Amino acid sequence: DSMMLVSLNKKTKQIILTSFLRDSYTYMDINGSERYDKTNHSYSWGGTQALIETLQNNYKVEIDHYVTINFSAFTKAINSVGGIDVPVTEKEAKFMNDTTHFDDFKSGSSVHMDGAHALIFSRIRHLDGEVERTDRQKLVIKALIAKAKTLSVSELTSLCDTILPLVSTDYSKLELISL
């Protein structure tokens, strides 16, 4: 549903998030089958490795590691840090209240959301465009990272114990904590 490249600059201690638009048509060669299709389809046809190869080949980026997370694990990750705070426009709040089973979305410069609300916010599709959608996803990820930065080492270890069984990654627990 979302593809992001997270670049960690250890010297400047800066994190840069880059989104790949899921509906962009790209060339892919999956198991010898060449095609042009939506970028996100490479994952469904060939898994993580096919997506990584598609992104590397088409966007000339190097991807060293990966983390994939499903919707259920995403909501648990947000909940496990006590929720997040993100800016929500009146238009977004109204749209979510009108189109979901929730009617309690608020607008403001810092709206607190649990995992279920953050997932809905991240997945808004028909309000505006794909760029705005990926901007919302970045807001959520940045808020989650900011929240994680406030945790102690023991809290981070506990968070990893909760989240790691729910994600697919080639990172070890110790690598994630050190990042």
Side-chain angles (χ1 to χ4, degrees), residues 67-69 73 76-82 144-145 147-149 151-179:
V67 176
T68 62
I69 187 167
K76 287 178 183 174
I78 301 290
N79 290 339
S80 67
V81 297
L144 181 59
I145 291 168
K147 197 76 174 263
K149 283 180 175 181
L151 301 178
S152 69
V153 174
S154 63
E155 290 171 320
L156 279 174
T157 302
S158 177
L159 177 63
C160 283
D161 289 341
T162 301
I163 300 302
L164 278 178
L166 306 172
V167 302
S168 173
T169 185
D170 60 350
Y171 277 116
S172 72
K173 179 170 124 178
L174 289 177
E175 288 173 314
L176 285 173
I177 291 171
S178 73
L179 292 173

Side-chain angles (χ1 to χ4, degrees), residues 106-153:
K106 307 282 186 241
S107 63
S109 61
S110 182
V111 176
H112 189 76
M113 292 186 187
D114 64 9
H117 287 79
L119 180 62
I120 289 170
F121 177 73
S122 298
R123 297 194 71 212
I124 295 173
R125 297 180 74 138
H126 302 291
L127 174 65
D128 40 36
E130 186 70 12
V131 171
E132 292 81 9
R133 182 173 190 250
T134 61
D135 287 345
R136 282 187 286 274
Q137 292 166 352
K138 287 183 214 173
L139 286 172
V140 169
I141 298 301
K142 286 178 183 178
L144 181 59
I145 291 168
K147 197 76 174 263
K149 283 180 175 181
T150 68
L151 301 178
S152 69
V153 174

Side-chain angles (χ1 to χ4, degrees), residues 20-86:
F20 296 96
L21 301 180
R22 51 186 255 114
D23 289 340
S24 295
Y25 273 75
T26 55
Y27 167 80
M28 53 193 84
D29 181 355
I30 299 172
N31 301 324
S33 177
E34 297 180 39
R35 62 189 98 180
Y36 283 94
D37 212 317
K38 294 180 180 183
T39 305
N40 64 328
H41 288 176
S42 63
Y43 183 82
S44 61
W45 287 322
T48 303
Q49 197 55 44
L51 175 59
I52 289 171
E53 288 174 16
T54 298
L55 294 174
Q56 289 183 147
N57 291 337
N58 285 280
Y59 295 99
K60 307 305 179 212
V61 294
E62 186 175 326
I63 299 173
D64 299 319
H65 296 280
Y66 70 90
V67 176
T68 62
I69 187 167
N70 66 24
F71 295 143
S72 173
F74 177 87
T75 59
K76 287 178 183 174
I78 301 290
N79 290 339
S80 67
V81 297
I84 57 163
D85 299 300
V86 294

